[in-house]
Amino acid sequence: MSKLPHVGTTIFTIMSKLANDTQAINLSQGFPNFPVDPILVNILRENASKNVHQYMPMTGFPDLLSKIGALIESSYGRSIDTQTELLITAGATQGIFTTILALVDQGQEVVVLDPSYDCYEPAILLAGGKAKRISLSSDFLPDWDLIYDSVNDSTRMLIINSPHNPSGRVWTVEDLEKLELLMAKYPHLLLLSDEVYEYITFEQKHTSINSRPAIVDRSIIISSFGKTFHITGWKMGYLVAPKHLMTEINKVHQFNVFSVNSVAQASLSTYLDHVDVSTLGAFYQKKRDLFQKLMAPSRFKLLPCEGTYFQTVDYSEISRLKDVDFCRELTIKHGVAAIPISVFNASQKDQKIIRFCFAKDDETLIKATELLCKI
Ligand code: PMP
Ligand code: GLN
């Protein structure tokens, strides 16, 4: 008996392995290939010789908690109680899993917007809940009519993700206003807002749930240092939730990790004094613009990319293959790995759209696009 009979290996593992096996350029799984900030590396090195190797307090290293509190205040103008409303997690994945396990009960329904990041549904199923997966619009923005039709008085939670993986779209202020109306209509509805790409937006800026006082008392906001500081392998993140929800989240957290890597927490705490997250958008915009310029002569049609480090493209002029098969062919025959979008749809709906990760050094982007432009 399997508790997750329909769950296989994640597409990220599959495509990165195929890229490695075939020596293809890996623009599939989302991770940077350039060095991390040497200041952070030095801080880490120094911390290794300090007394920071034992368990941290359960919710997090107090210095790190207060620095994150200050970051939230300066980014979004929200002042949180870092003792009761903040939790350091082993990456966003653990934050999402712990939240869902703590707050979703047997038989309760959670509305998920497809294409959706692949860790949401398994967590809901393991909590005994039901995932009601509905589609975003064909251009990956919220379809408010469908969302309103799908939420009802017994819906426990809505999961949203903006900036959105895999599409790179960013919700507008008007979207958040519609969300607030929805939450006003359903006073028991909880919101899980996955904002791991919060600092990676371009022309269209991110509006965090942290800046929406009308709904923060029912919202759990998820962040990841992996994305913000180019350290996906550290698996460090945090979540913000009101005290009454955090009490429940902590009951699960204390037994599925207890506390998170001490050296990483101490290092991030120091590093937060040396780094300006507001420059991250411009840093990735340069990469997006380079990638888009290099791809312009290709037969791929570039779709809007407003945030994240992912560029989606429509390949329908090139091939009639299903996106999963096209990604295999692209990797094996043409030497560039990408992620098919259909795997993030419950229906496996195939729009002939795939995702490239442009969090790469210029040399990699140049080499990859040379290959892609020949197709
Ligand atoms: N949510 C989204 C939308 C993501 O793209 C990712 C990972 N890239 C995560 C959550 C998980 O983040 P982490 O690696 O910090 O667990
Ligand atoms: N979030 C990353 C992506 O979208 C992958 C993370 C993972 O491999 N679990 O590519």
Side-chain angles (χ1 to χ4, degrees), residues 96 99-100 104 109-114 116-117 119-121 123-124 131-132 134 136 147 151 155-162 164 171 179 189-194 220 222:
I96 293 165
T99 298
I100 291 173
V104 176
E109 208 164 78
V110 179
V111 172
V112 175
L113 309 179
D114 280 356
S116 57
Y117 188 61
C119 79
Y120 305 151
E121 186 175 39
I124 297 165
K132 187 185 233 179
I134 61 172
L136 290 164
I147 295 172
V151 172
T155 309
R156 175 60 168 164
M157 182 183 277
L158 168 67
I159 302 183
I160 65 170
N161 168 222
S162 172
H164 182 238
W171 289 25
L179 174 68
L189 180 67
L190 300 180
L191 180 73
L192 193 160
S193 182
D194 179 344
I220 303 94
I222 305 282

Side-chain angles (χ1 to χ4, degrees), residues 10 12-13 28-31 117-118 165 197 227 310 339 355:
T10 84
F12 307 116
T13 301
S28 65
Q29 190 179 27
F31 62 89
Y117 188 61
D118 65 352
N165 181 11
Y197 300 100
K227 319 292 162 193
F310 302 119
I339 294 286
R355 186 198 86 178

Side-chain angles (χ1 to χ4, degrees), residues 126-357:
L126 289 171
K130 286 189 211 144
K132 187 185 233 179
R133 294 178 62 175
I134 61 172
S135 285
L136 290 164
S137 67
S138 57
D139 51 1
F140 305 118
L141 290 171
D143 175 343
W144 286 108
D145 289 338
L146 185 57
I147 295 172
Y148 270 78
D149 283 350
S150 306
V151 172
N152 57 50
D153 282 319
S154 58
T155 309
R156 175 60 168 164
M157 182 183 277
L158 168 67
I159 302 183
I160 65 170
N161 168 222
S162 172
H164 182 238
N165 181 11
S167 75
R169 299 307 304 262
V170 173
W171 289 25
T172 60
V173 172
E174 291 74 50
D175 286 319
L176 293 185
E177 286 165 359
K178 291 193 179 125
L179 174 68
E180 284 171 347
L181 289 177
L182 178 86
M183 297 207 41
K185 186 168 175 203
Y186 297 106
H188 301 296
L189 180 67
L190 300 180
L191 180 73
L192 193 160
S193 182
D194 179 344
E195 302 187 14
V196 298
Y197 300 100
E198 61 191 320
Y199 295 114
I200 312 180
T201 57
F202 314 126
E203 293 83 2
Q204 151 98 35
K205 291 297 161 215
H206 172 59
T207 308
S208 173
I209 298 300
N210 279 305
S211 63
R212 310 303 294 190
I215 52 176
V216 282
D217 61 340
R218 280 186 281 147
S219 300
I220 303 94
I221 303 161
I222 305 282
S223 298
S224 172
F225 286 119
K227 319 292 162 193
T228 304
F229 297 147
H230 319 298
I231 48 169
T232 62
W234 285 34
K235 297 301 303 184
M236 293 293 293
Y238 56 93
L239 65 84
V240 180
K243 186 178 173 195
H244 66 284
L245 299 179
M246 191 65 96
T247 303
E248 296 307 309
I249 293 169
N250 273 327
K251 288 181 191 173
V252 177
H253 179 78
Q254 67 183 340
F255 296 121
N256 75 350
V257 275
F258 180 70
S259 69
V260 173
N261 189 301
S262 59
V263 186
Q265 289 200 61
S267 301
L268 287 169
S269 173
T270 310
Y271 185 55
L272 277 165
D273 293 332
H274 295 268
V275 69
D276 176 7
V277 294
S278 69
T279 59
L280 195 63
F283 173 83
Y284 274 118
Q285 186 166 342
K286 257 174 91 179
K287 295 203 174 289
R288 180 204 63 175
D289 292 349
L290 174 67
F291 187 68
Q292 290 190 343
K293 187 178 100 195
L294 294 168
M295 285 292 276
S298 78
R299 290 200 290 151
F300 291 95
K301 184 175 155 228
L302 300 174
L303 302 176
C305 169
E306 299 160 328
T308 76
Y309 42 53
F310 302 119
Q311 172 70 56
T312 47
V313 301
D314 178 324
Y315 64 86
S316 54
E317 257 191 48
I318 298 174
S319 169
R320 295 311 301 155
L321 282 177
K322 281 203 199 132
D323 63 358
V324 173
D325 300 326
F326 183 69
C327 282
R328 271 191 73 78
E329 183 179 282
L330 198 62
T331 312
I332 296 166
K333 231 170 102 182
H334 302 288
V336 182
I339 294 286
I341 300 301
S342 66
V343 300
F344 304 114
N345 292 323
S347 62
Q348 310 284 300
K349 180 176 68 174
D350 172 26
Q351 292 173 266
K352 307 270 178 283
I353 295 173
I354 60 174
R355 186 198 86 178
F356 291 114
C357 171

